[in-house]
Amino acid sequence: QEAADQLKCEVSQIAKSIVFHNLENDQAVLVIISGDKRVDEKRVAEELGISRKKLGKANADFVRERTGFAIGGVSPIGHIAKCMLMLDLSLQRFETIWAAAGHPYAVFQSSPETLQNLTQAHWIDVAKV
């Protein structure tokens, strides 16, 4: 909410970066989702073709090690290691979205289409209903 207030936008226009740990292949999984939505972890696991038990929470060290960014500022682009990226369909509701730019107090403006072009991530539906 704080970011949305500063940007004078709706919290739903904030593209949250949520990082998970695929325990099956030790890869970071980055889900970019609208700020007003929560990630359905079971659906993420299904998209990855793994059991829910193999999708772990990413701790701060894992996030920094795999993305190069600290929690709270994980950008959807510019990672230091290969990450699996997923864009939730909830972001397509907007012409303009705001994503973290590598620091908890830095963001960049984008359209959903531009973000998809930058990340080459697939659009999926992993928001909790």
Side-chain angles (χ1 to χ4, degrees):
Q1 183 62 56
E2 197 174 304
D5 291 343
Q6 290 292 318
L7 295 166
K8 298 186 183 351
C9 71
E10 297 297 321
V11 72
S12 54
Q13 288 178 271
I14 303 294
K16 292 191 298 191
S17 299
I18 310 296
V19 183
F20 296 97
H21 186 173
N22 182 338
L23 301 171
E24 191 157 290
N25 65 7
D26 199 35
Q27 187 176 37
V29 179
L30 181 59
V31 178
I32 312 298
I33 191 167
S34 177
D36 66 338
K37 302 292 183 186
R38 295 184 55 120
V39 176
D40 185 330
E41 296 171 15
K42 182 179 176 191
R43 290 166 83 180
V44 172
E46 288 170 358
E47 285 287 332
L48 295 170
I50 61 175
S51 75
R52 172 61 192 91
K53 292 178 183 177
K54 293 289 186 175
L55 185 67
K57 302 269 188 200
N59 65 32
D61 290 338
F62 181 83
V63 171
R64 184 173 298 275
E65 175 185 301
R66 300 306 169 91
T67 68
F69 305 117
I71 290 175
V74 177
S75 176
I77 56 176
H79 307 130
I80 60 174
K82 183 168 173 44
C83 299
M84 166 61 80
L85 270 82
M86 298 178 178
L87 294 172
D88 186 73
L89 290 170
S90 62
L91 293 169
Q92 291 183 342
R93 300 176 284 168
F94 307 102
E95 289 182 28
T96 302
I97 56 175
W98 298 87
H103 186 277
Y105 297 107
V107 295
F108 68 94
Q109 181 180 2
S110 181
S111 69
E113 295 78 20
T114 298
L115 187 60
Q116 195 280 325
N117 287 334
L118 289 170
T119 61
Q120 293 298 301
H122 296 286
W123 290 106
I124 57 169
D125 184 9
V126 293
K128 281 189 179 178
V129 181

